[in-house]
Amino acid sequence: MLPGAAYFLLFHYGALAGNVIAFKEYVPFDGLWGSPWVGLGNFQRMFEDAAFWDSVLNTLWISVLQLVFYFPVPLGLALLLHTLTWSSVRRFVQSVAYLPHFISWVIVVALFQQVLGDTGLLNSGLSGAGLHTVDIIGNPDAFKPLVVAQVIWKDAGWGTIIFLAALAQVDEQQYEAAAIDGAGPWRRFWHVTLPAIRPVIVLLLIMRLGDILSVGFEQMLLQRDAVGPETAEVIDTFVYYQGIVGGDYGFAAAAGLFKGVVGALLVYAANKVAHRLGEQGVYK
């Protein structure tokens, strides 16, 4: 227990003190306490910066698309796997679905470029058939659907683990009793399966809302140059380019603190709504 407590104190709660940079004009040579205070100056600059709001808008668009198109996929996949009666087939499908999660974003982006890039397999086939080629990787209009498709391919299988664990806790006698009463597959799903896993769905939805301003730093950074910052800049890459690349640490820390505060408020609000709807939520 002591190593775990030390880890959280040092790397999580202790690191929170670094947010003081957001209220300073931080100079590395002057140190954390030697740098001059600027009050809310970094936040004022941030709110007046059009590039920051572009990154917020891009982040929210991608988060909404992920929430609508990605979030239901692990649940649907878990329900399909749960209905498979052949355990060997179910284990095989699960293993195949889990594998992409262990591939780094560098490999995933490279694979998509090899297939959908300007000189990839798709365009080679179209060109060979005498058809017009399409540049999906470098098309700003296709960027947001593309990154959502990448997330689905990479993490949908891994996301089924919690849903499968919840489905495994459903008492089989409830299904048998419902079947004896004449309930078909749809009614058994609606009256037995869905109520059993609804708390897990609400819990994961609240946690997802808390991460609504986190859409994947590596994935965006690797593809940002292909479509430009106007399309691919999100808050995480904005913080990276302002702080690490540009050396404006206080300004970058202000943007990062803004992201954390908004995430915490969203979790608090979503938890309150869950309590109003009779669900347990993340905490009491």
Side-chain angles (χ1 to χ4, degrees), residues 65-96:
L65 290 175
Q66 289 183 355
L67 198 62
V68 173
F69 293 102
Y70 166 72
F71 187 79
V73 175
L75 175 61
L77 187 57
L79 290 171
L80 287 175
L81 289 171
H82 186 65
T83 59
L84 287 176
T85 55
W86 292 346
S87 59
S88 58
V89 175
R90 183 165 56 187
R91 284 197 298 270
F92 174 75
V93 174
Q94 283 181 246
S95 301
V96 172

Side-chain angles (χ1 to χ4, degrees), residues 43 46 52 59 210-217 235-236 239 253-266:
F43 291 94
M46 183 183 72
F52 169 73
T59 305
D211 282 337
I212 199 167
L213 296 183
S214 298
V215 292
F217 170 71
I235 295 179
D236 287 336
V239 170
L257 186 58
F258 168 82
K259 172 189 162 185
V261 171
V262 170
L265 291 176
L266 286 173

Side-chain angles (χ1 to χ4, degrees), residues 110-188:
L111 285 173
F112 272 77
Q113 286 178 339
Q114 290 299 315
V115 176
L116 302 176
D118 193 29
T119 57
L121 292 176
L122 176 63
N123 280 333
S124 296
L126 291 174
S127 180
L131 301 173
H132 290 292
T133 60
V134 290
D135 183 14
I136 297 176
I137 296 294
N139 183 359
D141 295 331
F143 177 75
K144 292 180 177 64
L146 176 68
V147 295
V148 176
Q150 290 170 345
V151 170
I152 292 174
W153 181 81
K154 187 175 187 297
D155 288 333
W158 185 255
T160 62
I161 291 177
I162 296 178
F163 291 119
L164 286 172
L167 288 169
Q169 302 302 316
V170 182
D171 190 352
E172 290 294 332
Q173 292 183 352
Q174 295 186 33
Y175 289 115
E176 295 170 2
I180 293 172
D181 290 340
W186 171 248
R187 292 182 70 85
R188 291 200 295 272

Side-chain angles (χ1 to χ4, degrees), residues 22 40-56 235 238-239 242 248-262:
L40 299 176
N42 287 322
F43 291 94
Q44 184 177 356
R45 284 174 53 206
M46 183 183 72
F47 291 134
E48 293 173 351
D49 192 336
F52 169 73
W53 290 113
D54 287 342
S55 70
V56 172
I235 295 179
F238 180 82
V239 170
Q242 294 295 327
D248 198 348
Y249 299 103
F251 185 64
L257 186 58
F258 168 82
K259 172 189 162 185
V261 171
V262 170

